[in-house]
Amino acid sequence: MVIVTRIRREVLTLPAAELGPDNPLPPLRLLDDGGTAHALQAVGDHCLEERERDDPPRETGRQLGPGPLCSLLPVRIRDGYGRTREPRALDTLVIENDRLRATVLPGLGGRIASLVHLPTGRELLHRNPVFQPASLALNGAWHAGGIEWRIGANGRTTLSCAPLHAARVRAPDGGEMLRLWEWERLRDLPFQVDLWLPDGSDFLYAGVRVRNPHEHPVPLHWWSSTAVPEDRRIAVPAAEAWESGPERRLRRVPVPPYDARPPYATDWFYDIPLERRRWIAALDADGHGLVQASTDELRGRGQFVWGHGPGGRRWQEWLGACGYREIQAGLARTRPEPVRLDAESEVSWLEAYGPLTARPEEAGEALAAVLPRTALDAARAAWQPCADAEPGELLATGSGWGALEVLRADRKLPGTPFAESTLGEEQAPWYELLRTGSLPEPRRVRPPGPTLVAPHWRDMLETAPATPHTEYHLGVAQWHAGDRAQAVRSWERGLRLAPSLWPLLRCLAVADQEYGHHERAAERYADAFDDLCRERRDDGEAWTAACAALGREALEALLRVRRVADARAVWEALLPATRERGRFRLLEAELLLAEGRPEAARALFDSGFEVADLREGADELGRLWARLADEPLPGRYDFRTRPPGP
């Protein structure tokens, strides 16, 4: 048999915003935390209250508890992007046979941006015509469209805008397979996605494996999320679903109509009987569309819609991806529940994506005709021996964090090599700590690098020489571990001898806010920002990002305690380009209102601005507008995904 499947590099040029630098301040709080503790757990983009836990199935309620995400560490927040889109070239990897062509973005989470059925020319996915990050991932930057691999904690993955390793691998049929792999850092888990197209096949196969190399169990979330056009009718082998709407609770409902369009953002998690095959299809009015099927390990199926209200439409415009909905497949029945990945174990499964033509009520029979359940099981069995195959030609490079973890524990992970050559500048001090037992002091004045917080790294920090730089990182690791009193003591010790005060002062200010000491927090924020302005060496990317991040937090803290003059001083010290960003235009409006100048604040709204890093569910635009005007919130500022409150 002649193998015709091909993998090649291509460049995709489209209007794209720059990602910009990561936020250099350690994320001591979740993005959605707002600085206060609460008893809510994220359910995708909604929340499930503790008192509602008896409503879901019993196994769901049991699984909501283990390992809830309490910190983004060691991952950094990505909020340096804007909304200026210019033609930019994105590296892609294309896998193609004579039936399908899949376009993969290895530098953006390994997302499949396009899946084209070649005989008909039909695009099976919702293909976003632009690249526009928005603050929807757990750590900020996220983009819409295509097929996304969501791993880590409950929500959109922190790897959405991050590079993955990629290489050619021998496929089960002897042809070529595209392997994507990385080290997911929230749960410290290596994973891989193997993509291949058997000769003549109408289905793209995705073999997925997640490994737990640790000596303790780990909670795991995985959802494969596929954007499809909004007008598609969704078919799934279930009669009931768990609905999560704007009221922030899960409730059992009949499966919604094929083309359900609620007014506000809504999730449905389908209650597929255990004995039924796992699949979900999205079909147009003529019955043409996409089907996703999997082996039984990928148990859950779901659907997300933004809603047809003005807020939902605005969000889709904001993402550059108007008119889409998501169909999803996960390891658990609903998105808030993790599955337990036992110590030194792994989980794997096979997914298939391809065209389907059928009426929604006949989709199951049509799938059985073109891809029998036994055929998918056989493909999974054929793939499993290939999962350990060593990659051939490297096609893209991910981060160096996996290499650092492999070196630390002397791990052997067949099939997913994390080469020492991938270690970079961010990993260098931690490699030095691993090698010598001492964390090196920075060679030049600059914002601190990222902190590693896992227990083994925290142990190394505790035994390293107690320099101010080490005390700073140790405090961050202790904070992550929940030992907040000890973290404060470490930061206070470091502060006594530190040549650079602002990183430690900022951490202490966050601690003050967590303990309710808002006046002292504001004072520390003001001192930290003054110290940063004195220390700043240039207007390069790293310093600009640090000044913007610390300036924003300082402004918010000072306005909270009505220290308006000090807030104005911080505002004036910001770089002019920073003050022009939409987030800071919003802060300026709040500052003007606090100064008793509502007309000037209203004028900012009238002139127009865009808050690039607006979080879904946040209503700061609407709340501030209500203090400035009696008119309805203008459509350009209406991002409400739930009904207005009283």
Side-chain angles (χ1 to χ4, degrees):
M1 180 178 66
V2 177
I3 304 298
V4 298
T5 299
R6 300 172 295 278
I7 299 175
R8 64 181 184 274
R9 290 187 175 95
E10 286 191 357
V11 172
L12 174 65
T13 300
L14 46 72
E18 285 193 277
L19 267 174
D22 288 354
N23 187 321
L25 306 183
L28 302 179
R29 296 182 290 233
L30 295 175
L31 276 178
D32 296 321
D33 193 15
T36 59
H38 50 68
L40 295 176
Q41 290 188 3
V43 180
D45 310 308
H46 306 287
C47 291
L48 177 64
E49 297 188 20
E50 295 279 352
R51 67 173 183 270
E52 302 298 346
R53 286 194 176 187
D54 290 336
D55 283 350
R58 289 182 178 179
E59 64 270 26
T60 302
R62 284 198 301 270
Q63 294 204 66
L64 283 171
L69 187 68
C70 59
S71 168
L72 289 175
L73 290 164
V75 175
R76 284 188 156 184
I77 293 172
R78 310 203 75 164
D79 60 1
Y81 52 87
R83 292 194 55 80
T84 300
R85 296 196 287 262
E86 298 177 353
R88 304 183 196 277
L90 302 178
D91 291 332
T92 70
L93 298 172
V94 176
I95 177 169
E96 182 177 26
N97 65 4
D98 59 342
R99 308 292 295 174
L100 285 176
R101 181 174 63 241
T103 302
V104 181
L105 301 173
L108 295 171
R111 185 175 303 227
I112 299 177
S114 170
L115 185 62
V116 176
H117 184 232
L118 296 174
T120 61
R122 292 193 185 102
E123 172 62 68
L124 301 180
L125 310 177
H126 178 81
R127 181 172 183 170
N128 197 336
V130 306
F131 171 67
Q132 177 56 65
S135 189
L136 297 176
L138 288 165
N139 65 330
W142 180 83
H143 58 114
I147 303 172
E148 176 187 16
W149 317 110
R150 296 184 182 177
I151 181 176
N154 177 28
R156 296 181 175 98
T157 177
T158 61
L159 293 169
S160 177
C161 293
L164 269 56
H165 302 282
R168 300 179 195 268
V169 184
R170 187 175 179 85
D173 61 1
E176 286 190 325
M177 183 163 63
L178 174 62
R179 175 164 298 161
L180 306 166
W181 75 96
E182 227 334 330
W183 194 282
E184 198 287 314
R185 301 180 67 210
L186 289 182
R187 301 301 192 192
D188 260 344
L189 300 175
F191 73 96
Q192 69 190 75
V193 179
D194 289 350
L195 301 173
W196 83 99
L197 284 165
D199 184 24
S201 174
D202 272 335
F203 285 88
L204 173 69
Y205 289 145
V208 184
R209 176 169 65 168
V210 185
R211 289 186 271 198
N212 177 12
H214 307 295
E215 296 177 351
H216 55 83
V218 177
L220 169 64
H221 288 83
W222 179 285
W223 285 83
S224 303
S225 181
T226 304
V228 296
E230 188 178 36
D231 63 0
R232 295 300 188 259
R233 298 178 296 170
I234 307 304
V236 65
E240 293 186 305
W242 297 97
E243 180 182 83
S244 174
E247 70 280 2
R248 300 187 177 198
R249 61 184 295 267
L250 284 176
R251 62 191 185 97
R252 196 178 188 92
V253 298
V255 164
Y258 294 131
D259 57 351
R261 296 181 68 238
Y264 294 99
T266 302
D267 283 287
W268 292 284
F269 305 108
Y270 298 106
D271 192 5
I272 301 176
L274 285 175
E275 69 277 6
R276 301 293 297 275
R277 187 178 184 184
R278 326 315 274 183
W279 60 269
I280 188 168
L283 308 170
D284 66 18
D286 296 324
H288 304 303
L290 171 81
V291 65
Q292 187 273 357
S294 73
T295 51
D296 290 346
E297 296 84 0
L298 201 64
R299 177 185 181 187
R301 291 298 184 276
Q303 179 188 175
F304 169 74
V305 295
W306 282 105
H308 64 77
R313 306 310 303 174
R314 185 69 178 110
W315 269 112
Q316 294 189 68
E317 294 169 2
W318 191 248
L319 295 165
C322 285
Y324 81 97
R325 62 178 69 207
E326 293 176 4
I327 56 173
Q328 303 165 344
L331 285 173
R333 183 178 298 189
T334 64
R335 202 159 56 240
E337 51 181 319
V339 297
R340 176 188 170 102
L341 191 55
D342 288 330
E344 300 178 334
S345 71
E346 65 180 54
V347 61
S348 64
W349 63 91
L350 185 69
E351 303 181 42
Y353 296 83
L356 190 71
T357 298
R359 294 188 300 178
E361 60 272 20
E362 299 171 349
E365 291 81 359
L367 172 63
V370 296
L371 184 66
R373 189 174 191 172
T374 53
L376 194 57
D377 290 340
R380 189 262 173 89
W383 163 70
Q384 279 190 299
C386 301
D388 282 345
E390 289 305 308
E393 179 193 1
L394 292 177
L395 300 172
T397 302
S399 78
W401 296 113
L404 188 65
E405 290 299 327
V406 166
L407 285 169
R408 181 197 63 79
D410 191 25
R411 299 194 190 283
K412 305 299 180 185
L413 296 170
T416 55
F418 293 94
E420 188 172 342
S421 60
T422 62
L423 293 173
E425 183 180 0
E426 289 188 333
Q427 293 84 40
W430 300 97
Y431 179 65
E432 185 72 10
L433 174 65
L434 179 64
R435 192 175 62 85
T436 68
S438 177
L439 191 69
E441 290 293 302
R443 296 179 181 178
R444 57 188 174 89
V445 178
R446 58 181 175 180
T451 303
L452 295 183
V453 297
H456 40 266
W457 293 107
R458 188 173 71 250
D459 291 344
M460 282 186 259
L461 289 170
E462 288 176 344
T463 58
T467 66
H469 188 59
T470 300
E471 295 284 13
Y472 162 79
H473 285 291
L474 175 58
V476 174
Q478 290 166 332
W479 182 272
H480 171 77
D483 193 351
R484 296 188 170 185
Q486 189 58 55
V488 169
R489 285 192 285 272
S490 295
W491 292 326
E492 288 176 340
R493 283 196 304 267
L495 198 60
R496 296 177 191 137
L497 297 175
S500 180
L501 303 179
W502 66 267
L504 294 153
L505 285 170
R506 182 265 175 177
C507 290
L508 289 168
V510 173
D512 283 335
Q513 288 181 327
E514 290 297 294
Y515 289 121
H517 304 312
H518 297 292
E519 289 283 354
R520 189 168 67 192
E523 183 69 27
R524 279 180 161 153
Y525 266 123
D527 291 344
F529 188 74
D530 286 345
D531 185 67
L532 172 57
C533 290
R534 286 191 296 268
E535 184 177 276
R536 186 177 68 202
R537 294 297 188 265
D538 54 45
D539 294 340
E541 186 177 79
W543 287 108
T544 298
C547 288
L550 185 57
R552 172 183 171 178
E553 291 187 12
L555 278 166
E556 291 170 343
L558 290 163
L559 287 173
R560 181 169 188 166
V561 297
R562 307 295 297 174
R563 290 179 55 170
V564 180
D566 291 330
R568 173 57 67 180
V570 170
W571 171 262
E572 296 296 339
L574 293 170
L575 295 171
T578 299
R579 292 200 296 264
E580 289 302 312
R581 290 167 54 181
R583 170 60 63 182
F584 290 88
R585 296 293 297 278
L586 178 60
L587 282 169
E588 183 186 12
E590 294 182 13
L591 176 57
L592 289 167
L593 188 58
E595 290 173 333
R597 302 164 62 190
E599 296 84 2
R602 168 65 187 264
L604 284 177
F605 272 84
D606 292 341
S607 64
F609 58 85
E610 294 182 321
V611 183
D613 62 337
L614 192 71
R615 290 293 284 176
E616 184 188 355
D619 192 30
E620 60 257 52
L621 287 167
R623 289 196 305 268
L624 185 56
W625 176 262
R627 297 169 62 194
L628 295 173
D630 295 327
E631 305 102 285
L633 181 67
R636 66 182 302 174
Y637 300 121
D638 190 353
F639 292 87
R640 292 172 292 194
T641 56
R642 60 181 63 97

